[in-house]
Structure formats: structure tokens, C-alpha cells
Amino acid sequence: MKKTLAILAALTVSACFGEEPPKVITLSGETMGTTYNVSVVGPPDTLEEAALAADVEAVLADVNAKMSNWDKGSEVSRFNVSTETGPVSVSGDFVTVMAAANEVHKLSDGKFDVTLGPLIELWGFGPREPADPVPSDTDIETALSFVGQADKLILKAEDSTLSKSAPEVGINLSAIAKGFGIDAVAGKLKALGVENYMVEIGGDLVTGGRNAEDKAWRIGIEKPEPGEKAVELIVPLESKGLATSGDYRNFVEHDGVRYSHIIDPVTGKPITHWTTSVSVVADDAMMADAWATAMLVLGSERGLEIAEANDIAVYFISRDENGDKNTYVTKASSAFEALQKAD
């Protein structure tokens, strides 16, 4: 589950934009099984809202056509159903996403993994519900035999090819493609001459420049409370991406035990540590998206070690280890604390 509260500043007089409040274009719609919102502050005079809306829709349609696991005709879906184990030509965008996924996989102790699909389906968080909500150890081991992108997939970026070790190996890009799509929209805005913007899809986002008050965009991180929309912390963002991953809304219960939709690709089972929400700030939305998932699987203890070693801005919210459901413990990396101090 990804959720961030996008807080837009009120439109007030700004020295940067002149004496009059800047023009703001806002667009919204549906994509990737969720919603999107685009805000453009002080657009070029030649930029028409209708044309911009069409451009945004075209970019998102192109991303879905390549990376949607729900579109049976998409590039990733065709790769998944293919029985070919030799090199398959893939698009430049696919190479970009897979290269980023490989980087996060390597740095995260293998906790970020795009071959997680068999386990997602086994635990009932995919397109079908399992006959038994709690898989057997044997079924988990079988699913794990097709998981592990480091040795199940071979990306040759220079040739724009991707191969898999067995026909059953597949790719699920749900934890990184959304961020790529956000960045793709932002790239289109910049190509059109837009300098100040925010692009948000399903709570993940990227900002460019400054808001209508000529200040950094101010984004609220949500408290990890099911059924509520309260702000835990305000994060100032200027030309940065932000993603939040949490386990407090998407889960299943069986015999009184809650099973998170966040699955550890190493154990093959839902995470059991106390970390319930992770927010990551990165240079773009794609890396923020991927690292938010990776950090949630890692948990605050190991996640913070990796964050410090790689200068990642991350904010952890964990449940009280003594079982108090109303008490949370927060931790932030040095890079995240520096962002707050710079506000």
C-alpha cells in the first residue's frame, strides 16, 4: 500500500511569479488502478490545458502498454507468458526500469525483487484468491524456486535484451513502474517548458521547482492508521520524488492472524517485523517508489543501516514492540533529517 498526502499551498502573491498570483493548471484522472493528479504552476503562455491533458494521458498510456501486469497485451505481460529463455528484445524504458530494479535488489540484500509474482499470487494478493489463505511450506518452496531476480533474470542493457532462466519466471513491476510513470509525466512537462509542477499517482509523487508561494512543495506523510487520513509529518520537497509504503491497509486475516501484503522474497512469507510505514525521498519517483518497498521489507533496523550506507533519505514508522497498538516509534536516516532541517 502506497499513500502520501499531497498538500498544495494556497495561491498567494509571490515575488518570484510577480505581483499577481501565478496561473495554476490542475489535471486528474485514473491510471494504473488508482488516480493521478498533476499541478502546474506558472505554465508557459503557449501551453493549453486541453493539449496538456492529452499529452499526460498519452504518456501514461505508453507506460501502461509497457509495464502493466494487468494488461495482458503489455510488454511485461508478453514477456511473462513467453516460454522463450533466450534473450528477448525489450524497449528502452523497460531497460531503464529493470536496471534500477537490479540496483535496488543488490543494495537491499535482495529484499526488493520483481520476480515476486508467484508468491504474491500464492498469498492471495494477486488476481486470484488461493484455496487456502495460508500456503503450505511446500507451496512456498515451490514458488520460491521461480523467485530471485539476481539469478532468474539476465539484463543486457547494451543490447536492450532480457532473458529468464525458466519459462515460469515472470516479472511484476508494481513496486517501481508507478514511480517510472510519474517521472515520465514530469519529463513531458519539462519538455513543454514547465518548471514548477507536482505529479502524483496513487500517493507517490515527484515535484519540480517550487509551489505557488515560491516555496518548496510541502507534502504530508500519512499516519499509519486504517480508516483515517491524518498527517504524521510534513516534508518539504523541491525537485525530488517521494513514496510511502505501508502494510496497514492491505492484508488478510486467518484464524486471528494478520498477514501483510508485503512479502519477503527471501523467506517467501509476509513480513513480521514491527515497521508499518516507510517514506523515501529520492531524486526521482522511480527510485523513491522502489526503495519505499525495499525498506518496508527490510524493517527499520536493517533498513536504517542500508540507508546510512547509501545516503538514502528514509523515515520509518514502527509499532510499539510491546504490543501497544496506539504507540508508534519513528526513526529517520541522516539524509532525511537533513531535508527537514533545510526547510
Side-chain angles (χ1 to χ4, degrees):
M1 190 283 301
K2 302 273 181 96
K3 190 62 180 176
T4 308
L5 299 178
I7 300 178
L8 302 182
L11 303 182
T12 58
V13 175
S14 167
C16 175
F17 292 106
E19 294 183 357
E20 295 296 324
K23 178 182 178 181
V24 177
I25 296 176
T26 59
L27 305 172
S28 61
E30 297 182 355
T31 188
M32 303 180 188
T34 184
T35 60
Y36 74 82
N37 293 280
V38 177
S39 295
V40 173
V41 178
D45 293 338
T46 56
L47 187 62
E48 297 182 358
E49 183 172 337
L52 177 60
D55 285 339
V56 169
E57 288 284 349
V59 169
L60 292 173
D62 181 63
V63 173
N64 274 299
K66 293 172 180 174
M67 302 178 195
S68 172
N69 284 95
W70 304 99
D71 180 352
K72 294 182 179 179
S74 71
E75 186 175 7
V76 68
S77 293
R78 295 196 305 272
F79 179 86
N80 288 347
V81 299
S82 172
T83 59
E84 177 63 59
T85 57
V88 174
S89 295
V90 293
S91 65
D93 287 346
F94 209 128
V95 170
T96 296
V97 171
M98 282 304 305
N102 284 342
E103 178 183 348
V104 178
H105 176 80
K106 180 180 179 180
L107 295 177
S108 67
D109 298 339
K111 297 295 188 178
F112 180 86
D113 199 308
V114 298
T115 63
L116 198 62
L119 289 167
I120 293 174
E121 288 203 15
L122 185 63
W123 282 94
F125 295 110
R128 67 174 180 81
E129 294 183 1
D132 187 336
V134 181
S136 67
D137 289 343
T138 299
D139 288 340
I140 292 173
E141 286 299 319
T142 299
L144 278 171
S145 67
F146 301 113
V147 174
Q149 71 185 66
D151 58 2
K152 299 296 189 298
L153 298 172
I154 299 175
L155 174 69
K156 291 189 176 181
E158 65 278 10
D159 299 327
S160 294
T161 63
L162 184 66
S163 56
K164 51 187 175 180
S165 62
E168 296 86 353
V169 174
I171 296 174
N172 186 304
L173 297 175
S174 60
I176 192 171
K178 188 197 305 180
F180 177 83
I182 293 168
D183 292 333
V185 173
K188 183 63 177 181
L189 295 180
K190 288 185 283 188
L192 294 171
V194 174
E195 297 179 355
N196 306 286
Y197 58 83
M198 182 183 71
V199 180
E200 176 263 337
I201 300 179
D204 296 347
L205 56 90
V206 73
T207 65
R210 297 164 76 81
N211 66 15
E213 290 186 325
D214 191 26
K215 297 179 180 179
W217 295 88
R218 299 180 65 80
I219 311 300
I221 292 176
E222 190 178 75
K223 288 183 179 292
E225 295 288 350
E228 296 184 14
K229 288 187 178 296
V231 176
E232 162 73 20
L233 183 71
I234 301 295
V235 182
L237 290 183
E238 191 169 344
S239 299
K240 294 285 185 180
L242 170 65
T244 297
S245 186
D247 74 341
Y248 52 96
R249 285 210 176 102
N250 192 0
F251 56 87
V252 296
E253 289 188 356
H254 182 66
D255 291 339
V257 178
R258 192 181 79 159
Y259 296 90
S260 168
H261 79 295
I262 301 296
I263 298 173
D264 186 328
V266 177
T267 66
K269 299 178 181 180
I271 58 174
T272 57
H273 55 65
W274 297 95
T275 300
T276 189
S277 174
V278 178
S279 296
V280 174
V281 176
D283 289 337
D284 55 53
M286 178 176 66
M287 294 305 283
D289 191 9
W291 271 116
T293 297
M295 287 293 174
L296 185 57
V297 180
L298 286 161
S300 63
E301 185 174 347
R302 178 58 179 150
L304 192 58
E305 293 176 351
I306 291 176
E308 296 294 359
N310 296 280
D311 196 32
I312 301 170
V314 57
Y315 183 76
F316 297 92
I317 304 177
S318 302
R319 298 184 188 86
D320 178 66
E321 295 185 11
N322 296 319
D324 185 351
K325 295 182 179 180
N326 297 316
T327 301
Y328 293 94
V329 178
T330 63
K331 293 181 180 180
S333 67
S334 300
F336 189 90
E337 290 178 342
L339 286 173
Q340 294 298 98
K341 291 177 181 178
D343 184 21

